[in-house]
Amino acid sequence: ERIALSFYYKTMGYLSENLIVETKQLGEFKEQKASNLNLAINHYDKGLESLGIDLKALPDNSEALPYTHSLTQSLELLKLIADTYTQISDIYSGTTDTNSKEAINHAIDYYKLTTDLLQQARKEIYSDENKIQLGELEEATFKKIIQTAWKANQLEYSSEIADFAFSTSERMKASSLFDRLSEQLARENSLVPDSISNIERSLNYNITSLNERLFNLRHEVNPDEKEIASLDSTLFQLKKQRDELNQFLEKNFSDYYDMKYANSMLHHNEVKQKLKNNEVFIEYVLNETDTIPELYAFLISNEHFGFYKLDTDERFIPALEETFRFLSNPSYLFTRNSSSKAYCVSAHKLYKTLLQPFEHHIKDKKITIIPDGKLNYLPFEALLTSLPDTSGLVQFNVLPYLIRKNSVNYSYSVNLLLKFNKKKPKAKSKLLAFAPEYKSDTIDFDNEKLILLPLPGIQREVELIGKELKARLFTGEAATEENFRNESRNFDILHLAMHAFINDSLPAYSRFAFTQNNETVPEKDGWLNTADIYNLELNARLTVLSACNTGRGNLKKGEGIMSLARGFLYAGCPSIVMSLWEVEDNAGTEIMHSFYKTLKKGRYTDDALRQAKLTYLENANPRLAHPHYWLGYVSIGNPEPLFRSYDYYFFGLIILLLAAFIADQILPSRMRAKKRSSKK
């Protein structure tokens, strides 16, 4: 009955919101339209009351939220109220009337409640697949919140609202991955008994199952109201039990509860405090719903936090797509000069939109990019800081790439990077590398016949790496999936040089091709897919995926690219080097060899990769300097050094020499003084 009543009030709200206003006077139109919208809000409020939410306690106190009789219906009504207040604000925008500011602030209050309820909904979802689906469904809401927060700040700047916008942006980025790592970290750092963990897991699973059954029942043509009521009652009891368990965990295992359930997003001031002088984060929010996309950005350094709306036009998305197509085109050997000129124009246009507004803040800084939407496909290092002379033949080796000025790293979110970047060395051995030998075997993949063509460069690649670092190499026939499964947990760095195949329709079944051995047992058949990687127990701090397309995959709203690389982050490896397209064999070998030479000197991962690319670019002739050869690799996650810097040993030697010098000077003088005193 309560849910039926809430539907009634929601319908009445719709009708009030869409009442026709018959007047030609602008002032009268605004007053009547605002009156209709306020009436709609009244109905939506009553709909929430019918679901058991105490409106008098809102928005200052959200304690009433957990006991709503319908989570989905409450979410919809809260969003409707917030959206309606935004409409009222728009009616009075451009005038001196305070109604616009008042309405936009009410909208922000209700959007905050919406995000609180969404976070609660995440707790009631057990499977990663369902969490990803929730993220996709709610992405539009989160982007609406960013848009509204920007409008509010235009009326009157508020650091609190800007911070709320930043937190909202963070919540819509890789949230299922964040939940997984939070739970993993919580279990590693607490002593929760298995019996309690099992109860927790069982409650979450049963709540998820009941929610799914209720959703399906309510969308049937003739829903069984008695069964729905029975399931609602059961669900209410389960949620009550889960809340009691959470209270118990919060009281008795506070460390576990805080890491898994507290939903504490880092505020921008906390992020600023964690950044070094030479670091800057830029997080984007891209909204493509209109002809001209909206693009927002948050810039954070240890001195500055800014919330921006960037200028875009109808050519922004085409420029983005054209740039990626040019860089990733497998026919790069046959690039026409006209295509090269078009790349120069689009790559500079993107720079002007994405980074030029921040030139003062990023000068001489290491940049970490948190992309959104189609920006996930773009290697920012390929952007051109100025428009080169395109009147003649384009010389790729002298173009003004961003990489010449800045190191660029990537992350799914700021919180994901900063909260899970303290992984200490656990593995006993340093580097494990795999390079299978392919014999042009024909395979079936995603209803296609594919040939595993030989990759002669990868054998040389791992041999060169083995000369730089203490490594265990599995090449040729020994590069089996079984060996990888058995050995992977014992190494600090994993290096996979092999074929990779992307399944866009089923990302969990994208896979690496180890040596093929005609085994039928899944753990030994030579195929390691994303779902397999999720279940690995890795101790590695860095995984290098020197395979084709390991950073490519289906773009999921609210999650980012569902790539093979994401699987290793999911398995607990905090740093990945991945490829955005099919890397040329010889160029890949050169870049990887140079990368490890620099990495072992104690350099950051992103710096080592940058240096490897620049070294390749400096030594390449104009034809082999095409960006396709050297820009495909990017680093994502925690770029902290894995080796001690040579500077550490140098300064240590200096200290020892100084100590020896001081000892040489002081001890003899003391001995002479002692002799003189004994003669007296």
Side-chain angles (χ1 to χ4, degrees):
E1 290 180 7
R2 287 176 175 272
I3 293 172
L5 188 58
S6 74
F7 270 112
Y8 166 77
Y9 283 120
K10 185 174 73 173
T11 303
M12 293 300 293
Y14 279 148
L15 291 173
S16 301
E17 195 175 329
N18 293 289
L19 284 172
I20 296 172
V21 178
E22 295 182 354
T23 178
K24 294 181 180 179
Q25 299 297 320
L26 183 60
E28 288 182 14
F29 174 84
K30 286 183 176 182
E31 284 185 23
Q32 187 58 55
K33 184 64 179 176
S35 176
N36 293 345
L37 292 173
N38 278 308
L39 182 59
I41 289 170
N42 249 349
H43 289 305
Y44 297 143
D45 278 345
K46 288 178 181 177
L48 283 171
E49 286 177 4
S50 68
L51 294 172
I53 293 180
D54 182 6
L55 293 173
K56 293 176 183 177
L58 302 178
D60 297 325
N61 178 6
S62 60
E63 292 300 314
L65 289 177
Y67 298 101
T68 174
H69 286 266
S70 172
L71 194 62
T72 53
Q73 189 72 356
S74 298
L75 266 174
E76 187 172 359
L77 287 165
L78 282 169
K79 287 189 288 186
L80 282 169
I81 292 171
D83 290 347
T84 309
Y85 272 123
T86 303
Q87 289 185 59
I88 294 173
S89 176
D90 289 341
I91 288 173
Y92 294 106
S93 66
T95 69
T96 57
D97 200 312
T98 59
N99 285 332
S100 181
K101 181 180 169 183
E102 185 179 329
I104 205 78
N105 286 332
H106 282 315
I108 292 293
D109 288 338
Y110 278 93
Y111 277 134
K112 285 179 180 176
L113 294 172
T114 304
T115 59
D116 288 344
L117 204 56
L118 281 170
Q119 289 306 108
Q120 179 196 318
R122 298 198 66 77
K123 296 177 190 176
E124 298 182 3
I125 294 176
Y126 181 76
S127 71
D128 296 308
E129 183 180 348
N130 288 328
K131 286 185 178 183
I132 290 170
Q133 287 176 350
L134 178 67
E136 287 187 283
L137 290 171
E138 299 306 330
E139 191 204 31
T141 299
F142 285 134
K143 289 187 174 176
K144 180 73 173 177
I145 292 171
I146 303 288
Q147 185 184 61
T148 306
W150 174 256
K151 289 179 181 177
N153 266 1
Q154 290 298 98
L155 291 171
E156 182 180 358
Y157 180 78
S158 161
S159 61
E160 183 183 346
I161 290 176
D163 194 67
F164 172 56
F166 170 66
S167 298
T168 301
S169 174
E170 283 285 288
R171 283 195 168 105
M172 71 182 185
K173 294 182 186 294
S175 49
S176 71
L177 180 57
F178 184 87
D179 288 348
R180 160 78 177 203
L181 294 178
S182 295
E183 182 172 358
Q184 182 177 304
L185 187 66
R187 293 195 186 284
E188 286 177 358
N189 291 278
S190 68
L191 298 172
V192 177
D194 289 342
S195 57
I196 295 177
S197 294
N198 291 335
I199 292 170
E200 179 190 27
R201 193 177 299 112
S202 176
L203 278 171
N204 285 337
Y205 177 77
N206 288 331
I207 288 170
T208 298
S209 299
L210 275 177
N211 273 323
E212 290 175 0
R213 285 177 64 190
L214 278 166
F215 178 84
N216 292 329
L217 276 172
R218 285 176 177 140
H219 286 79
E220 288 181 357
V221 178
N222 297 305
D224 187 333
E225 297 298 337
K226 286 186 178 180
E227 186 177 1
I228 288 174
S230 174
L231 291 176
D232 259 330
S233 176
T234 305
L235 183 61
F236 186 83
Q237 293 303 319
L238 286 171
K239 287 181 181 179
K240 191 174 180 182
Q241 290 175 38
R242 204 267 316 281
D243 289 336
E244 289 170 355
L245 177 62
N246 283 348
Q247 290 171 19
F248 174 82
L249 288 170
E250 187 176 12
K251 182 179 179 180
N252 297 283
F253 301 96
S254 57
D255 56 342
Y256 175 78
Y257 179 86
D258 289 343
M259 280 185 275
K260 185 174 179 182
Y261 288 117
N263 298 323
S264 55
M265 287 285 176
L266 292 170
H267 294 289
H268 72 266
N269 281 327
E270 295 173 292
V271 177
K272 286 172 67 175
Q273 291 169 13
K274 290 176 179 289
L275 294 183
K276 299 181 179 69
N277 290 335
N278 67 334
E279 293 178 324
V280 62
F281 287 176
I282 306 176
E283 178 163 326
Y284 295 96
V285 177
L286 177 62
N287 190 357
E288 288 189 64
T289 54
D290 298 319
T291 306
I292 298 178
E294 288 184 335
L295 182 63
Y296 300 91
F298 302 91
L299 184 139
I300 311 178
S301 68
N302 66 345
E303 297 178 338
H304 177 78
F305 169 72
F307 176 26
Y308 305 87
K309 185 177 182 182
L310 304 179
D311 290 332
T312 57
D313 56 29
E314 67 279 357
R315 284 291 305 154
F316 176 73
I317 296 299
L320 181 60
E321 293 169 344
E322 287 165 12
T323 301
F324 179 74
R325 276 198 301 269
F326 177 84
L327 296 170
S328 61
N329 189 348
S331 301
Y332 56 91
L333 288 174
F334 307 103
T335 301
R336 295 182 178 179
N337 199 47
S338 57
S339 299
S340 301
K341 290 179 180 179
Y343 157 69
C344 291
V345 172
S346 62
H348 180 54
K349 176 181 176 59
L350 292 174
Y351 175 80
K352 288 198 296 182
T353 300
L354 295 166
L355 292 172
Q356 194 171 67
F358 313 125
E359 277 187 332
H360 172 69
H361 296 289
I362 66 175
K363 185 179 180 182
D364 302 323
K365 298 286 183 74
K366 290 161 58 71
I367 307 171
T368 295
I369 299 291
I370 297 91
D372 186 43
K374 290 179 180 176
L375 290 173
N376 280 279
Y377 294 112
L378 181 69
F380 278 59
E381 302 97 310
L383 304 185
L384 302 183
T385 57
S386 61
L387 186 63
D389 181 8
T390 57
S391 59
L393 192 66
V394 173
Q395 301 289 322
F396 289 116
N397 55 341
V398 296
L399 292 181
Y401 303 106
L402 176 66
I403 196 174
R404 297 188 189 276
K405 292 188 174 184
N406 301 87
S407 287
V408 181
N409 187 48
Y410 300 85
S411 179
Y412 281 103
S413 78
V414 170
N415 278 267
L416 199 60
L417 179 60
L418 295 181
K419 286 197 171 187
F420 306 107
N421 69 346
K422 300 300 181 186
K423 191 165 185 176
K424 296 179 180 178
K426 291 182 181 179
K428 297 177 182 178
S429 305
K430 203 63 189 175
L431 187 142
L432 176 70
F434 278 74
E437 184 179 357
Y438 303 113
K439 300 175 181 177
S440 299
D441 301 299
T442 301
I443 59 163
D444 292 313
F445 179 75
D446 199 19
N447 298 319
E448 287 186 52
K449 293 283 185 185
L450 299 175
I451 298 175
L452 287 175
L453 294 171
L455 295 174
I458 63 175
Q459 310 292 325
R460 179 169 167 264
E461 180 178 312
V462 297
E463 287 170 6
L464 289 171
I465 293 168
K467 291 177 181 177
E468 296 295 336
L469 298 174
K470 185 179 179 181
R472 185 164 187 195
L473 311 180
F474 285 90
T475 61
E477 294 295 326
T480 64
E481 178 196 4
E482 185 178 13
N483 281 336
F484 179 77
R485 286 178 178 273
N486 291 337
E487 298 288 341
S488 57
R489 69 181 302 173
N490 302 321
F491 288 83
D492 198 34
I493 302 172
L494 305 176
H495 184 97
L496 301 182
M498 58 187 62
H499 279 299
F501 297 93
I502 308 303
N503 189 324
D504 284 329
S505 55
L506 294 169
Y509 294 98
S510 295
R511 51 189 176 173
F512 291 99
F514 287 80
T515 294
Q516 302 297 291
N517 48 21
N518 298 317
E519 284 275 0
T520 56
V521 180
E523 290 78 13
K524 301 179 181 180
D525 64 1
W527 296 105
L528 186 76
N529 60 41
T530 310
D532 294 329
I533 298 166
Y534 284 179
N535 296 312
L536 294 175
E537 294 182 13
L538 300 178
N539 290 312
R541 290 184 294 157
L542 170 65
T543 298
V544 178
L545 303 176
S546 185
C548 298
N549 299 308
T550 50
R552 190 176 71 82
N554 196 13
L555 181 62
K556 288 278 188 181
K557 293 179 179 179
E559 284 298 320
I561 293 176
M562 307 301 289
S563 66
L564 281 160
R566 187 179 184 276
F568 284 93
L569 288 167
Y570 197 93
C573 181
S575 180
I576 312 289
V577 170
M578 64 186 189
S579 58
L580 296 177
W581 50 74
E582 294 180 2
V583 178
E584 197 274 332
D585 203 19
N586 292 322
T589 297
E590 285 186 43
I591 289 170
M592 283 294 103
H593 182 213
S594 181
F595 166 71
Y596 280 105
K597 283 179 70 174
T598 309
L599 189 71
K600 76 174 185 179
K601 295 176 182 177
R603 299 287 289 275
Y604 281 70
T605 303
D606 53 345
D607 287 336
L609 190 58
R610 178 195 182 213
Q611 192 56 53
K613 292 175 181 177
L614 290 175
T615 299
Y616 176 88
L617 188 59
E618 287 167 8
N619 296 324
N621 63 46
R623 185 179 65 83
L624 296 178
H626 189 294
H628 184 95
Y629 283 96
W630 56 276
L631 263 174
Y633 289 113
V634 296
S635 68
I636 182 169
N638 176 20
E640 294 285 330
L642 279 73
F643 299 85
R644 287 196 186 278
S645 169
Y646 285 5
D647 293 341
Y648 174 87
Y649 297 107
F650 175 75
F651 287 120
L653 180 61
I654 293 294
I655 291 169
L656 285 174
L657 291 172
L658 282 172
F661 175 78
I662 292 168
D664 183 61
Q665 295 297 313
I666 293 176
L667 288 176
S669 63
R670 284 184 176 176
M671 290 176 69
R672 287 193 295 270
K674 191 174 182 181
K675 285 180 180 180
R676 284 196 297 270
S677 63
S678 64
K679 287 178 181 180
K680 291 178 181 179

